[in-house]
Amino acid sequence: MVTPWLAPVVWEGTFNPNLLDSIYKLKNIRIAATVFAVGKYTIFLKNFLETAEQHFFVGFQVHVYVFTDRPLDVPQVKMSAGRQLTVRSVPNSQRWQEISARRMELIQKLIEDNLHSYADYIFCLDVDSQFHGRWGTESLGGLVGVIHPGYYRDDRSRFPYERRPESRAYVAPGEGDFYYCGGAFGGTLEEVHLLTKTCHTNFIDDAKEGIEAAWQEESHLNRYMWINKPSKVLSPEYLWQDFKPRNPEVHLVRFSGVIKNYAAIRPNV
Ligand SMILES: CC(=O)N[C@H]1[C@@H](OP(=O)(O)OP(=O)(O)OC[C@H]2O[C@@H](n3ccc(=O)[nH]c3=O)[C@H](O)[C@@H]2O)O[C@H](CO)[C@H](O)[C@@H]1O
Ligand SMILES: [Mn+2]
């Protein structure tokens, strides 16, 4: 399955994992993953990190970057050889929208701080989630988006894009390819640097004019990926939601958002 611009759409059964792994083993690739756990969201880290050990790029060099305001709450999770974790301190915030959106700026800075010495590819993931199945070399590409599980069966007119033309995240009626997740995206350092920098700048410029896009950085990411088509698109297998029963076309849930009580864990409602 491919998009109209000939990017693969990755579903179970469309690739040979062993063949792909053998190709990328020769290249000695290094993968970075970012995950933010600010305020009470540190409770999600243990399960996220433990399941990543079981399913995320097993057998490859992986460097997980945890961004948190509570470094003492980062659990000790045993990591296999070739895998490591770095904790980066970030300030807290009283608004979840700001915590979520600020990720773009902090990922941009991480890449600028010489990440090239440590990684070739990067994936940026929500912490309130867990791995259930393989997420590996089949997901690699220049710019990689994940189709949101809540909208993949819908017509684009139903996608929750930002619809106010004043916003830099605006997507006009009739435009847009997929509705992509804010909770998982990635690609090469160069592509993700450009994405995060653009989304961050547009978010700030919107804020100066008193406008916040409907789904914060997710809206900006969707605008970005409409203009700059991803070179690989991951199916909703790569970010399902635990509260949703598995649809028949989804043979394998690889990664999913856990069920959470928003009121209990977010700083604001
Ligand atoms: C599955 C998916 O695509 N989820 C997106 C969605 O809602 P979600 O409901 O999944 O958002 P969320 O509450 O998980 O927040 C996004 C992420 O921000 C971090 N965080 C948030 C609040 C907080 O107090 N502390 C903290 O660390 C944490 O890494 C979390 O995973 O919409 C958000 C934008 O509004 C983001 O685009 C999310 O990625
Ligand atoms: Mn989430």
Side-chain angles (χ1 to χ4, degrees), residues 19-159:
L19 173 63
L20 281 168
D21 282 357
S22 67
I23 293 168
Y24 283 102
K25 275 275 148 95
L26 295 172
K27 297 181 196 279
N28 212 20
I29 53 161
R30 301 159 305 169
I31 314 295
T34 62
V35 63
F36 286 72
V38 178
K40 293 181 183 162
Y41 278 57
T42 50
I43 58 164
F44 298 114
L45 275 172
K46 188 166 185 292
N47 193 34
F48 176 92
L49 295 169
E50 285 178 353
T51 58
E53 277 295 295
Q54 293 159 18
H55 301 292
F56 185 72
F57 285 95
V58 174
F60 286 85
Q61 296 176 64
V62 173
H63 198 144
V64 180
Y65 292 86
V66 174
F67 292 77
T68 184
D69 59 328
R70 301 179 180 185
L72 297 176
D73 290 353
V74 177
Q76 297 282 335
V77 170
K78 193 172 156 22
M79 299 180 85
S80 315
R83 302 172 74 95
Q84 58 176 313
L85 185 148
T86 298
V87 178
R88 287 198 148 204
S89 283
V90 295
N92 198 343
S93 164
Q94 291 320 304
R95 287 185 69 237
W96 66 265
Q97 293 91 338
E98 194 177 296
I99 297 171
S100 187
R102 214 173 38 201
R103 292 183 288 178
M104 290 294 183
E105 178 186 8
L106 295 165
I107 295 164
Q108 177 199 337
K109 293 223 171 82
L110 172 75
I111 297 172
E112 287 169 4
D113 290 354
N114 204 22
L115 188 62
H116 289 95
S117 311
Y118 302 95
D120 305 301
Y121 294 93
I122 182 168
F123 287 95
C124 310
L125 305 170
D126 263 22
V127 72
D128 57 324
S129 37
Q130 55 186 336
F131 294 86
H132 308 270
R134 175 194 163 100
W135 181 322
T137 49
E138 74 284 357
S139 67
L140 296 173
L143 179 63
V144 181
V146 179
I147 302 174
H148 197 292
Y151 303 95
Y152 73 101
R153 289 172 158 193
D154 292 343
D155 184 81
R156 58 164 63 81
S157 62
R158 299 177 64 92
F159 295 169

